[in-house]
Amino acid sequence: MKIIKAESYQDLSRKAANILSAQIILKPDCVLGLATGSTPIGTYKQLIEWYEKGDIDFSHTSTINLDEYCGLSPDNTQSYRYFMNEHLFKHININIHNTHVPDGMAVDETKECQRYDNLVNLLGGIDLQLLGIGHNGHIGFNEPNPSFEKTTHIVMLDDTTIKANARFFPTLQEVPRKAITMGIKTIMQSKKILLIANGADKEEIVRKALTGPVTPKVPASILQFHPNVTVVYCFEGGIL
Ligand code: F6R
């Protein structure tokens, strides 16, 4: 595991964007696994800037996102599809048909989960998966559990996750309780993983996940078993 300390959020964003753009330059038709949330916003902003300068070409690249809220349509401003369009896709030359987010409106949720797993396989797997981390150690929406959930599945969100995500909604009541997320096995099968964590409030959980016991109670701890993880973090202390 490579652990890189950033000086600031801007520095973290530039370092993460550098790793993603190197992937695209080395393999233009790569599959990027992407995340939403507040942490990657600066990374996406940096990628857009470099695209505008002519340094990155997304025309052959595919993306597949980790998760989506159930019950939110793509044009709902709180949906993760909307987030991705606004924060990245509409500013770059990616073919929108090559960008994938789970369908939160799927009537048959089980079928949607299977479709999403098949899609990852059809794309040939994920070359580089970008991850954030929740305060409870979740990755994607894989919440702390008695066991690791392997494949794409429906999840009831933890109270801590609902509260953390309430900052994006007008009221706590409007935060969806249910989501669809890629599973741990799918994430772990990515060839490379880039975990980004920003702020003092993430320090304890990042240390626990990366140096504590591997347990489904801290889902990100499974990353200790992945052969190619890079962590870029920005907070006061060290991790190891
Ligand atoms: C979002 C996702 C989540 C976030 C995590 C951290 O697609 O997969 O696991 O990465 O909740 O969110 P922020 O970055 O807002 O702290």
Side-chain angles (χ1 to χ4, degrees):
M1 188 174 292
K2 293 184 197 76
I3 299 185
I4 302 167
K5 184 170 180 165
E7 314 249 295
S8 61
Y9 176 65
Q10 202 196 354
D11 185 36
L12 175 148
S13 302
R14 285 172 68 86
K15 285 180 161 64
N18 257 310
I19 294 168
L20 286 161
S21 58
Q23 173 66 60
I24 299 163
I25 291 165
L26 291 170
K27 187 181 176 195
D29 62 346
C30 65
V31 178
L32 298 177
L34 297 180
T36 62
S38 54
T39 317
I41 290 177
T43 305
Y44 296 151
K45 215 169 142 203
Q46 184 62 79
L47 287 175
I48 294 166
E49 209 179 300
W50 287 336
Y51 162 71
E52 285 169 350
K53 278 190 181 157
D55 289 342
I56 325 173
D57 173 13
F58 292 87
S59 61
H60 300 288
T61 305
S62 300
T63 66
I64 184 144
N65 263 74
L66 285 165
D67 41 18
E68 178 61 285
Y69 288 119
C70 289
L72 299 193
S73 63
D75 56 1
N76 185 310
T77 56
Q78 308 294 348
S79 74
Y80 284 175
R81 161 53 80 179
Y82 191 89
F83 175 103
M84 289 309 303
N85 289 348
E86 289 302 306
H87 288 284
L88 184 63
F89 301 149
K90 77 179 198 190
H91 306 284
I92 57 174
N93 68 333
I94 199 159
N95 178 344
I96 200 73
H97 300 296
N98 292 338
T99 70
H100 307 281
V101 180
D103 178 5
M105 297 299 284
V107 180
D108 189 334
E109 293 172 340
T110 312
K111 239 189 190 160
E112 174 58 10
C113 293
Q114 284 163 356
R115 181 192 73 85
Y116 214 63
D117 280 332
N118 290 339
L119 181 61
V120 177
N121 291 333
L122 274 173
L123 291 169
I126 297 165
D127 290 293
L128 175 59
Q129 175 68 57
L130 177 66
L131 294 177
I133 181 170
H135 295 108
N136 59 4
H138 74 211
I139 46 176
F141 273 140
N142 290 275
E143 300 284 44
N145 246 327
S147 61
F148 289 111
E149 290 257 16
K150 296 190 189 75
T151 53
T152 302
H153 58 282
I154 300 294
V155 64
M156 297 309 295
L157 300 178
D158 255 25
D159 280 350
T160 55
T161 303
I162 293 167
K163 279 190 197 123
N165 291 356
R167 69 201 139 120
F168 301 115
F169 290 81
T171 65
L172 183 67
Q173 278 62 42
E174 286 169 71
V175 187
R177 270 38 185 178
K178 207 162 83 163
I180 177 167
T181 182
M182 232 183 236
I184 292 292
K185 182 174 151 204
T186 317
I187 294 172
M188 286 295 280
Q189 280 175 340
S190 309
K191 294 178 190 93
K192 283 171 271 174
I193 291 180
L194 170 60
L195 176 72
I196 52 176
N198 179 56
D201 57 318
K202 293 285 173 74
E203 184 163 350
E204 197 187 326
I205 191 63
V206 170
R207 200 170 300 125
K208 202 166 158 188
L210 303 183
T211 66
V214 174
T215 162
K217 296 197 174 98
V218 183
S221 64
I222 193 77
L223 298 176
Q224 293 181 40
F225 289 155
H226 193 283
N228 195 333
V229 178
T230 303
V231 182
V232 184
Y233 74 96
C234 179
F235 43 73
E236 276 296 304
I239 292 178
L240 299 176

